Each structure stands twice: as structure tokens, then as C-alpha cells.
Amino acid sequence: MPVIKSSADLINNYIEISDFCHKHKELVFLTRNGEGDLAVMSIETYEEMAGRNELYRLIQEGIDDIENGRILTEEEVIKNMQLAIGK
């Protein structure tokens, strides 16, 4: 269940909200005038999420390459690796 706080709670209880985000590694959703406005998370949670998103992007890029015939044989990969290291 998401944690929802008002923007006033952020102003008045910053340390409590910060501690919650770090301890539980969860988002806190902030409202403004009763409407959703922001999502707050710890830097660690953000970096983990960004890393996952990058991994998913790279996996999708690989899937797209396979689907579009952009593949190399084992021999081509080895040759490219040897060229890269100067052999």
C-alpha cells in the first residue's frame, strides 16, 4: 500500500519521511491541494531503479537486434574481440 502524505507533511516532518524512505526503500507520494503531485524516494532507491531501467533497456535493445537480424556468429565475435585488444 503506497504511503501518501501532504506537501505540508513534507515541510513539517521531513526527517520522518526521509527516514521512512531510507528504511523501507519505498516511495512516498505527496499531494498538493488534495491531488497527487510528487513521488519522493531515497537516492539509493532511485539509483537502484535507474540501474534496473538501464538493464531493461539493454535487454530490449538485444531483443530488438535479434528480431531485426543484427546478430554475429561466434567467429565474428571472437574476431572483433581480438581486433579490440590488438591481436
Side-chain angles (χ1 to χ4, degrees):
M1 178 62 85
V3 174
I4 302 171
K5 301 279 186 178
S6 70
S7 56
D9 285 334
L10 180 63
I11 294 166
N12 296 323
N13 302 306
Y14 177 87
I15 293 173
E16 176 188 312
I17 292 171
S18 173
D19 289 346
F20 175 87
C21 288
H22 286 282
K23 181 178 178 183
H24 298 285
K25 297 185 179 186
E26 290 188 31
L27 298 173
V28 173
F29 296 97
L30 301 175
T31 61
R32 182 175 180 183
N33 299 323
E35 299 287 325
D37 187 44
L38 298 171
V40 178
M41 68 183 86
S42 69
I43 293 294
E44 297 84 6
T45 301
Y46 171 78
E47 289 173 347
E48 184 179 309
M49 186 178 68
R52 260 194 320 270
N53 287 343
E54 177 64 8
L55 176 60
Y56 296 153
R57 185 191 68 75
L58 291 170
I59 290 170
Q60 187 60 55
E61 185 179 305
I63 291 169
D64 292 345
D65 284 345
I66 292 168
E67 289 175 348
N68 290 297
R70 294 186 298 262
I71 57 175
L72 299 174
T73 65
E74 179 182 347
E75 291 81 16
E76 291 170 317
V77 171
I78 291 170
K79 181 180 176 183
N80 288 345
M81 290 173 64
Q82 289 172 336
L83 289 172
I85 61 172
K87 283 191 173 184

